[in-house]
Each structure stands twice: as structure tokens, then as C-alpha cells.
Amino acid sequence: VVFVALSPPVASPAMSAALSLRCNTCGVQLRSVAEAQVHGESTGHSDFAESTEAVLNLSCVACGKPCRSETEKDIHSKRTGHLEFVDRTHEQVSTVDTANEMKAIGEEMRDDAGLPAKKEKKEGDGDDDSMDVEPEVDTELLTELQTMGFTRNKSVRALHATGTSNVEQAVNWIVDHESDTDIDLPLLVSKSNSKKKPPLTKEEARVAGEELRKAMTAKKQKEERELEKVREQERIRSGKELLKAKKGNDDLELKRNLETRRIEKEEAKRAKARIMAKLDEDRIVRRRKLGLPDELTEEEKAKEKERHEKKADEARAEQEKKAKAGLVVKPVGKVEELRKILVVIKKNASSEEASNTCFKTLLLYLGNVAKNPGEDKFRTLKLTNGAFQKRVDSCDGGRLFLETFGFVLDTSGKETLTLPMESVDLLLLQMTGAAINDALTNPFFGVL
């Protein structure tokens, strides 16, 4: 706490009311005692005086920033390039009630220190304490000083200023203040301060000092507790902001990865379509050379289908053989990738009902494939189907989930997603179904 020491101007009948407070150390002008208190706490300056000059208020035309001095205006102009200012000093001119503001601050400090508030004198309670009278001093010491040749006014001032019972101290004070212009003028103080206060005994001084020490310690502890509370709140706020920012970055990174994956898949599909088109052209050219029709006959289509089924059976047999030998490798990486897409679906869905409907539909699709892997109708999804568009394709990530699982977009114009027979993996179906079921039943899915 910085105690503001105000130097009041010399009273005169024609003196104008104070419009500001000036710091005698750095010359800055302030509008109130509260501003002087803040200035003192930040700079350590404690010497202030009332001034009849209003606080300068130069308002920047471009941004409206108020500047209190020419120096502040120049600094603002250099930083921003704004050169036009309007003088609004007289629009906010108000007098400074120094006495009442100092009184209010004093009462607040007494309250913080735990000291009792000063009781105000009411009318009819006795003599008027605001009357100026000569202070009471030790008459014997006063007589002794006058006997030594000092005037009464000098002696009264010396005894009142030192509060001593020692003549030598009073004489030393007179010698030190001999050059004061008012040393020979009568000393007048308020009636409440005119009575001579008896000096404290050592025990009373010790008790008073102990009480003051306890009061200041209690005030310091209170300020430290409040400061610690503010620090804790700031720490919690910063932690929440960091977690929120981290979560946002993770979500953004996940979306970027999924988008990159989607683009790579589309590019791979386009490349595969180009290769398949080239193979079809080569097949047609070869068939024409052999005198065969361009398209496969029904018998050839049946043989082709039988060849694919045989290849799929061989793949399943190989998987079963590895499973019996304990050599099955779980598709953990692919399941984790599918799980991340499920999280995206849940977060971006318009409602919880929409995401749950999408999950249930996906679970139904994969369940049908697991029960009937050889049926083409269960491994083929029509993109034009209304139920598919409403339940799956309307959710961000629904179609991407199926494509990531292994469904392939038909490029022949049928607008279907087909899961090739050789891509049917019962273990992957089982693990993916468990992930979808977790998304449906776990309320914290995608949160932790």
C-alpha cells in the first residue's frame, strides 16, 4: 500500500476549486485520489498536490483513444500513424474533492486493518471539535522556555511538535526551525487535537505495537489468500483453454487424415477404373481376333463367377488353416481406422438419433454379409436407395466407413457399392461389429 501525501495549496479567498492532482515527482496529472493511489502503487511516488489545471484529454479522431499529455499523443501517433486529435478536455472537467476522498480511503484502510471506525460528532453532543484553538502544552516547560528568551509562539510550536518533556529537545527544534516563516505566528489546531496526550508507557507502547503488527499480518494473510484464489482460478481457466485447444487440434488432424485417406482412395479407384477399362479393351481385341463376341457369353460368365468363388474359398480355407495353427493376425490397424470414422460420424451428426440410426444400419449391413458371405445381394448396396441415402449417406463419414471397410464403388454406371467376395474377412467383420456396438452403447464413445 502506498500512502498518498497531498500538499494542499495555500488558502486564499479567490482560489479556484482543484480540478486535478499533480504528481510532484514526475509531473503527471490525475483526476482523483483513487488514480493517485494507483499511480503511487505502480511507481512508488507519494508526493502529490492539488492543481487548478484540468487533466488534458486529446481524443484521436481515427480510433478514439484518449491521450492525457502531448508526450502520450506523440507516442500514439508514432505507433499508429494517426495525426488528427480533438481536444475534449473541457467536456469532462470536474472538481476533485480531496478531503472526502482521502477520508473514504482512510476509512477503508482502517476497515481492512480491523480498526474501529471513527465516530462522527453529532449536533448537541458538546463543544464543536472543528474550532481552532491553541494546543495544550506543559506549562512548566513553556515558562522555562520563555525565561530562556524564546517567545510564547515559538515555545508552543516546539513543545507541540516534539511532544517532549525535555527542554533540550524543544530548544533543538527551535534552532532547527529558526528560518521557518511561520515560527512566530500563533499555532492553531482543531479542538480535538489540542489536548496534550500523555506519553505511552513502555508496556502500552508494546501492546499498541503488537496490535498493529497483528492487524497488518492479518491484512497481509487476507491479501495473500485472495491472490492465491485468483491464481488458482487463472490456472484452471488456462488448463481448460489448453485442453480445448488440444482437442480442437486433434479433431482437425483427424479430419485432415480422413480427407487425405478419402482422396487417396478416390485416386486409387480412378486408377483401377482406368486399368480395368484398358483390360476390357484388350480382352475385346483378343476376342475379336479369335472370332468371339465382344461380351462374355452366359457360360463364360458362369465360369468366371465360379473361378472367383473358388478363389474366395481358397482364401477362407487358408485363413482357417492359419487360425488352427495360431497364426491369425488381427486387423487391428484397420479396425482402429474404422473406429476413428465412427467418432467423426458421431461428432458431425445433426443429432444423436441420426448417428445411432447410421450405426444400426451399418451394423445390419455387415451382419448380413457375415451371415451370408456368398450372397451377392447382401454384398451390394444401391446408392440410389432412399433408406441408404437417409440413414447412411446423409451422415458425414457414412459412405467413407463402407469404402474403408472394403466396399468398392461400381464404375460401370450402376451406382452401387460392392464388397468383393475375396475381401470378405469374418474376423474383420466381427471386430468391426464390436466397434459399432460400442459406439451405440457407450455414452463416452468419442469423448475420452
Side-chain angles (χ1 to χ4, degrees):
V1 177
V2 176
F3 296 94
V4 178
L6 291 173
S7 303
V10 179
S12 65
M15 187 180 69
S16 303
L19 300 179
S20 65
L21 297 176
R22 180 187 295 275
C23 176
N24 292 332
T25 305
C26 63
V28 69
Q29 285 183 303
L30 307 157
R31 289 196 177 98
S32 64
V33 176
E35 286 192 6
Q37 194 80 3
V38 173
H39 178 74
E41 290 178 356
S42 61
T43 62
H45 302 166
S46 59
D47 186 10
F48 300 84
E50 292 181 341
S51 173
T52 56
E53 295 182 10
V55 177
L56 192 63
N57 183 9
L58 300 176
S59 179
C60 178
V61 175
C63 63
K65 174 179 172 59
C67 300
R68 291 193 175 187
S69 64
E70 293 291 339
T71 303
E72 187 176 354
K73 184 192 78 170
D74 294 340
I75 293 174
H76 179 70
S77 297
K78 290 179 180 179
R79 288 179 178 176
T80 63
H82 302 163
L83 301 176
E84 294 185 19
F85 293 84
V86 177
D87 190 350
R88 304 184 186 275
T89 303
H90 298 290
E91 295 179 7
Q92 299 180 349
V93 173
S94 60
T95 58
V96 180
D97 192 353
T98 308
N100 288 334
E101 291 188 28
M102 290 292 291
K103 182 180 178 182
I105 292 176
E107 290 176 354
E108 184 180 350
M109 293 177 65
R110 290 178 66 86
D111 182 59
D112 291 341
L115 300 176
K118 291 184 178 180
K119 296 182 178 179
E120 296 184 359
K121 195 82 170 180
K122 298 181 179 179
E123 292 186 12
D125 287 349
D127 297 334
D128 186 7
D129 289 342
S130 63
M131 184 184 300
D132 291 338
V133 296
E134 185 179 79
E136 294 181 5
V137 295
D138 192 317
T139 54
E140 293 182 1
L141 294 178
L142 178 60
T143 303
E144 188 173 351
L145 287 172
Q146 288 178 317
T147 304
M148 295 173 66
F150 298 109
T151 64
R152 177 180 176 82
N153 292 336
K154 285 183 180 180
S155 303
V156 170
R157 284 180 177 274
L159 293 173
H160 179 72
T162 58
T164 182
S165 59
N166 188 303
V167 176
E168 185 178 352
Q169 291 182 3
V171 172
N172 289 336
W173 187 92
I174 294 174
V175 173
D176 293 338
H177 296 77
E178 189 67 34
S179 59
D180 292 355
T181 56
D182 59 349
I183 194 168
D184 281 322
L185 297 177
L187 176 61
L188 298 177
V189 297
S190 62
K191 192 171 183 179
S192 59
N193 296 329
S194 64
K195 295 182 180 180
K196 179 183 177 183
K197 297 180 181 180
L200 297 176
T201 63
K202 290 184 178 181
E203 182 63 22
E204 290 175 339
R206 186 189 66 77
V207 172
E210 184 66 19
E211 290 179 353
L212 181 60
R213 186 190 66 79
K214 288 181 179 178
M216 296 303 295
T217 301
K219 181 182 178 182
K220 184 177 180 181
Q221 291 175 350
K222 179 182 177 182
E223 292 177 349
E224 288 178 351
R225 287 195 298 270
E226 292 178 352
L227 183 60
E228 184 61 29
K229 187 184 296 184
V230 172
R231 288 173 179 167
E232 180 65 16
Q233 292 174 351
E234 180 63 20
R235 185 188 67 79
I236 294 174
R237 185 190 65 79
S238 300
K240 288 182 178 180
E241 289 185 354
L242 288 174
L243 288 176
K244 184 178 180 181
K246 184 178 183 301
K247 185 175 180 298
N249 289 334
D250 292 344
D251 292 344
L252 184 60
E253 185 66 22
L254 177 59
K255 289 182 179 180
R256 288 174 178 172
N257 292 338
L258 292 176
E259 182 64 17
T260 303
R261 176 69 174 168
R262 185 187 65 80
I263 294 173
E264 290 176 352
K265 280 183 171 291
E266 290 181 354
E267 182 62 29
K269 289 175 186 176
R270 288 193 291 269
K272 184 177 180 180
R274 289 194 295 268
I275 293 173
M276 293 300 295
K278 181 64 176 174
L279 290 175
D280 288 341
E281 290 177 2
D282 294 343
R283 178 178 58 80
I284 292 173
V285 170
R286 289 196 304 271
R287 290 179 67 84
R288 287 175 179 175
K289 288 182 179 180
L290 296 174
L292 298 174
D294 293 349
E295 299 297 330
L296 296 175
T297 63
E298 292 297 328
E299 183 180 356
E300 289 174 330
K301 288 181 180 180
K303 290 182 178 180
E304 186 71 14
K305 182 178 179 181
E306 183 181 352
R307 186 178 65 83
H308 285 298
E309 290 178 354
K310 183 179 180 181
K311 186 176 181 181
D313 292 339
E314 291 176 354
R316 282 197 299 273
E318 183 67 20
Q319 289 181 356
E320 292 175 359
K321 183 178 179 181
K322 288 182 178 180
K324 290 180 181 179
L327 300 175
V328 176
V329 179
K330 293 184 178 181
V332 178
K334 194 165 188 177
V335 173
E336 182 62 26
E337 187 177 357
L338 292 169
R339 184 182 180 86
K340 290 180 180 180
I341 298 176
L342 293 175
V343 173
V344 173
I345 294 174
K346 185 171 184 178
K347 288 185 177 180
N348 296 339
S350 58
S351 64
E352 185 178 358
E353 182 181 358
S355 62
N356 287 342
T357 301
C358 180
F359 293 154
K360 291 177 182 178
T361 307
L362 293 174
L363 190 60
L364 178 63
Y365 290 161
L366 298 185
N368 289 336
V369 173
K371 293 176 184 177
N372 307 281
E375 294 288 340
D376 291 342
K377 64 179 182 179
F378 293 121
R379 291 186 285 106
T380 303
L381 304 174
K382 293 182 179 180
L383 300 181
T384 56
N385 183 275
F388 174 82
Q389 293 178 349
K390 181 179 179 181
R391 299 176 183 178
V392 179
D393 212 17
S394 62
C395 293
D396 185 14
R399 187 188 295 193
L400 178 62
F401 178 87
L402 294 171
E403 292 176 350
T404 304
F405 182 85
F407 282 82
V408 179
L409 180 64
D410 189 356
T411 57
S412 62
K414 295 182 180 180
E415 296 187 4
T416 60
L417 283 174
T418 304
L419 180 66
M421 187 63 190
E422 60 269 16
S423 298
V424 176
D425 187 343
L426 295 179
L427 182 59
L428 177 61
L429 286 168
Q430 182 182 358
M431 294 179 67
T432 306
I436 298 176
N437 189 60
D438 186 34
L440 280 169
T441 58
N442 185 2
F444 300 104
F445 183 82
V447 177
L448 302 178

